[in-house]
């Protein structure tokens, strides 16, 4: 399998292998890596997948994308990653052996538990694999890698827990100073591993993301310091996320004649993009429901056909903070498909976006969106509180704020006879302030997290300045 950029035709930039794009971030033209075509699962192959455990499924899916890794190596990486020991933080009653257990709320309404990993967020599903893939790739070539990332909470801690202690890897993680929850801050800043550096930026998440882009676009610096990324634009992360759509589908159905809908709490569009890819590979998905919070740039697009990235100053600070974005970095991948893979068109659209200008696809390809199954909705703080309460009262289950957005919007699109799977993207324990507000009690927390907030913290405060960040990396790499 080879990969091209969303912004250049294949004759302009030669397609690359999985291993060639694994350690990189953006393609050299600023676009995102996309497979030249989607591997297909026939009806017979789909039948063979039903009944596989998570590791077998992961191999079946990922070996199609990473066909330049010898099968035995890939299998051993996957078998080390997806274990009940790594994904052990299951709620009482769920089975850790399932890796992503499916909890049925009522017939036809399910939660797919994706947040049982070390940082209690779905990002661990892909990031733990990435940690092992990076270590494998670096050991092969004897290279070093300096990972630069931006986080509003979940990405950063997930990356740090995946990379801590990994040989040849350092992590420089930017986060908006003072804007993460106490739990998230403690989770990241309490890490004392010498290869982990937390940089608290005096700004918002998008400022952090812009610094990462600016540093990545400085090709000389990037090459001199072996800068890589683990942000959701990393193709391997998206590919790893494709796996659990298959797992969830088989767990919620009894026959491959059935179709299911997925409701996906969305920010940077990485999670639901993986759903789109699973659907393109032949998984019988009916709807992909994009659930946003008050930062509704994606909902607006799917309702109107106009993509209107917001100014960073317009980004709202909400109680589902991992969805607080003003532009959705992985959205470009879907638009590439929607534009029938016309890279020149995508390049033109994103030259608008990069100048903060909207684009309008009405009267153009927007009419084709329904063919891809996408619908959307938004949820507010009040909706979030109501949903957390309703789920708790009706099903005796605590959901986190992001999952609540997924439940709220998912129910708006529920159809008779079509199972609905809401992706559970984090555990309630991470957002105790909002859980208190909704339920008047503290969230359940896995025992290993007791006393987390009291641990000593280690971080540096920096300005919104790519130069300051470059200097820091230069000194510490
Ligand atoms: C990252 C995150 C999201 C958003 O996922 P995207 O891939 O950015 O759309 C939703 N919920 C939680 C808890 C997250 O950490």
């Amino acid at each position: 399998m080879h990969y091209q950029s969303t912004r250049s035709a294949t004759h302009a930039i030669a397609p690359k292998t999985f291993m060639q794009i694994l350690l990189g971030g953006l393609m050299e033209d600023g676009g995102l890596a996309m497979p030249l075509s989607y591997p297909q699962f026939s009806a017979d192959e789909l039948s063979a997948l039903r009944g596989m455990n998570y590791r077998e499924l992961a191999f079946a899916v990922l070996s199609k994308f990473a066909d330049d890794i010898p099968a035995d190596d890939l299998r051993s990486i996957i078998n080390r990653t997806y274990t009940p020991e790594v994904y052990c933080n299951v709620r009482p009653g769920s089975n850790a052996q399932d890796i992503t257990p499916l909890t049925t709320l009522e017939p036809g309404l399910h939660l797919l538990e994706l947040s049982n990993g070390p940082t209690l967020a779905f990002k661990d599903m892909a990031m733990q694999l990435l940690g092992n893939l990076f270590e494998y790739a670096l050991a092969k070539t004897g290279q070093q890698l300096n990972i630069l990332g931006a986080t509003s909470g979940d990405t950063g801690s997930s990356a740090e827990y995946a990379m801590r202690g990994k040989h040849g890897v350092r992590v420089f993680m930017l986060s908006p100073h003072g804007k993460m929850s106490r739990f998230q801050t403690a989770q990241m800043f309490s890490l004392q591993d010498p290869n982990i550096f937390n940089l608290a930026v005096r700004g918002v998440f998008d400022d952090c993301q812009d610094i990462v882009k600016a540093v990545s676009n400085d090709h000389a610096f990037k090459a001199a310091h072996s800068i890589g990324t683990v942000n959701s634009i990393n193709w391997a992360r998206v590919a790893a996320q494709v796996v659990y759509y298959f797992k969830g589908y088989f767990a919620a159905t009894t026959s491959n004649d059935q179709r299911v809908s997925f409701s996906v709490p969305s920010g940077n569009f990485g999670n639901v993009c993986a759903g789109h890819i699973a659907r393109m590979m032949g998984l019988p998905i009916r709807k992909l429901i994009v659930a946003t919070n008050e930062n509704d740039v994606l909902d607006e697009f799917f309702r109107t056909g106009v993509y209107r990235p917001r100014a960073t100053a317009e980004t709202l600070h909400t109680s589902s903070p991992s969805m607080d974005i003003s532009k959705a970095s992985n959205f470009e991948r879907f638009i590439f498909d929607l534009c029938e893979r016309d890279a020149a068109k995508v390049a033109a659209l994103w030259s608008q976006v990069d100048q903060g200008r909207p684009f309008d696809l009405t009267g153009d390809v927007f009419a084709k969106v329904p063919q891809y199954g996408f619908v959307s909705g938004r949820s507010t703080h009040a909706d979030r509180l109501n949903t957390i309460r309703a789920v708790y009262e009706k099903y005796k289950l605590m959901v986190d704020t992001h999952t609540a957005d997924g439940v709220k919007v998912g129910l708006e699109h529920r159809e008779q006879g079509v199972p609905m799977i809401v992706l559970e993207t984090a555990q309630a324990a991470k957002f105790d302030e909002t859980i208190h507000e909704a339920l008047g009690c503290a969230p359940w927390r896995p025992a290993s997290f007791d006393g987390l907030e009291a641990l000593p913290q280690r971080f540096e405060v920096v300005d919104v300045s790519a130069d300051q960040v470059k200097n820091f990396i230069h000194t510490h790499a």
Side-chain angles (χ1 to χ4, degrees):
M1 176 61 68
H2 281 70
Y3 298 83
Q4 72 169 106
S5 167
T6 48
R7 297 195 196 173
S8 297
T10 48
H11 57 79
I13 295 184
K16 297 182 163 63
T17 66
F18 182 86
M19 286 291 272
Q20 284 171 332
I21 60 168
L22 173 64
L23 300 177
L26 296 170
M27 302 293 269
E28 53 261 52
D29 60 358
L32 307 186
M34 281 289 267
L36 292 181
S37 64
Y38 293 115
Q40 297 296 307
F41 282 110
S42 66
D44 283 351
E45 284 175 298
L46 270 184
S47 304
L49 298 184
R50 185 176 282 281
M52 284 188 179
N53 69 27
Y54 199 94
R55 288 172 290 281
E56 293 163 339
L57 259 186
F59 181 78
V61 171
L62 293 172
S63 58
K64 304 229 183 211
F65 289 117
D67 54 358
D68 54 335
I69 299 182
D72 286 347
D73 293 356
L74 183 62
R75 208 182 285 278
S76 124
I77 290 167
I78 287 170
N79 289 349
R80 266 185 287 135
T81 304
Y82 295 111
T83 70
E85 289 74 37
V86 173
Y87 299 93
C88 62
N89 298 304
V90 294
R91 58 163 55 90
S94 289
N95 183 2
Q97 299 291 337
D98 287 342
I99 309 300
T100 57
L102 189 82
T103 295
T104 298
L105 299 180
E106 63 181 48
L109 181 62
H110 314 274
L111 284 183
L112 187 63
E113 292 179 37
L114 304 179
S115 47
N116 297 333
T119 72
L120 308 184
F122 89 97
K123 292 183 175 71
D124 293 333
M125 291 308 304
M127 208 69 88
Q128 289 288 318
L129 181 77
L130 211 62
N132 288 325
L133 281 172
F134 278 16
E135 188 174 56
Y136 170 80
L138 293 169
K140 285 218 136 174
T141 59
Q143 277 174 286
Q144 298 268 314
L145 180 69
N146 292 306
I147 291 170
L148 176 62
T151 187
S152 53
D154 289 338
T155 313
S157 52
S158 184
E160 292 180 355
Y161 280 78
M163 304 297 167
R164 61 189 297 203
K166 291 274 189 290
H167 199 71
V169 184
R170 283 178 212 86
V171 178
F172 297 89
M173 189 55 64
L174 313 184
S175 59
H177 187 35
K179 297 208 170 58
M180 295 188 296
S181 75
R182 261 171 33 90
F183 183 96
Q184 287 178 313
T185 307
Q187 221 178 5
M188 284 178 58
F189 293 3
S190 65
L191 284 177
Q192 302 294 332
D193 305 69
N195 70 329
I196 304 293
F197 299 95
N198 284 302
L199 301 178
V201 176
R202 295 187 181 94
V204 295
F205 169 62
D206 288 280
D207 295 321
C208 301
Q209 211 171 22
D210 287 344
I211 294 175
V212 171
K213 282 199 177 150
V215 176
S216 297
N217 284 334
D218 180 341
H219 300 303
F221 183 87
K222 190 179 169 192
H225 295 84
S226 312
I227 300 290
T229 179
V230 291
N231 271 330
S232 59
I233 53 169
N234 182 294
W235 168 256
R237 277 185 63 185
V238 177
Q241 291 168 181
V242 171
V243 176
Y244 53 71
Y245 283 86
F246 283 81
K247 187 74 168 67
Y249 172 78
F250 292 122
T253 58
T254 50
S255 137
N256 295 353
D257 297 333
Q258 291 168 275
R259 293 211 282 172
V260 305
S261 293
F262 285 93
S263 180
V264 187
S266 293
N268 269 316
F269 206 76
N271 200 354
V272 76
C273 185
H276 162 67
I277 292 161
R279 196 173 183 275
M280 299 296 278
M281 292 170 77
L283 191 68
I285 295 176
R286 183 165 160 80
K287 284 185 187 169
L288 287 165
I289 299 153
V290 179
T292 76
N293 65 17
E294 293 90 332
N295 295 292
D296 57 357
V297 50
L298 288 169
D299 177 45
E300 184 175 81
F301 173 78
F302 285 107
R303 279 186 296 103
T304 67
V306 178
Y307 182 61
R308 191 173 58 86
R310 316 293 200 253
T312 54
E314 275 182 86
T315 310
L316 299 166
H317 185 202
T318 76
S319 47
S320 45
S322 296
M323 290 151 58
D324 290 350
I325 50 104
S326 56
K327 42 191 175 243
S329 43
N330 274 291
F331 187 54
E332 185 172 340
R333 289 194 156 108
F334 170 63
I335 293 298
F336 181 68
D337 281 345
L338 187 65
C339 293
E340 280 154 6
R341 305 196 143 223
D342 181 343
K345 188 167 177 174
V346 174
L349 292 175
W350 255 267
S351 82
Q352 304 265 97
V353 169
D354 288 342
Q355 295 165 51
R357 293 215 299 268
F359 62 70
D360 181 350
L361 298 179
T362 55
D364 189 353
V365 289
F366 184 61
K368 296 192 179 131
V369 164
Q371 294 170 27
Y372 292 90
F374 278 101
V375 292
S376 72
R378 83 196 276 276
S379 169
T380 64
H381 183 69
D383 294 326
R384 215 163 284 137
L385 296 179
N386 286 336
T387 307
I388 291 168
R389 277 187 211 114
V391 169
Y392 191 65
E393 279 161 21
K394 211 163 165 194
Y395 310 112
K396 304 284 167 275
L397 212 100
M398 272 189 205
V399 289
D400 97 292
T401 53
H402 306 76
T403 308
D405 292 337
V407 170
K408 188 263 179 185
V409 176
L411 289 177
E412 290 168 356
H413 290 281
R414 198 174 178 193
E415 297 168 291
Q416 187 71 34
V418 182
M420 165 78 64
I421 301 175
V422 179
L423 300 189
E424 180 166 45
T425 54
Q427 288 198 19
K430 300 191 82 163
F431 304 97
D432 56 348
E433 286 136 65
T434 309
I435 296 294
H436 260 288
E437 191 181 345
L439 302 177
C441 65
W444 173 78
R445 168 190 279 220
S448 57
F449 291 84
D450 283 347
L452 177 72
E453 288 88 342
L455 297 173
Q457 301 191 353
R458 178 172 157 262
F459 62 100
E460 291 284 324
V461 181
V462 296
D463 293 330
V464 180
S465 155
D467 284 336
Q468 250 189 53
V469 170
K470 283 186 202 171
N471 276 335
F472 187 91
I473 295 172
H474 182 73
T475 324
H476 293 87

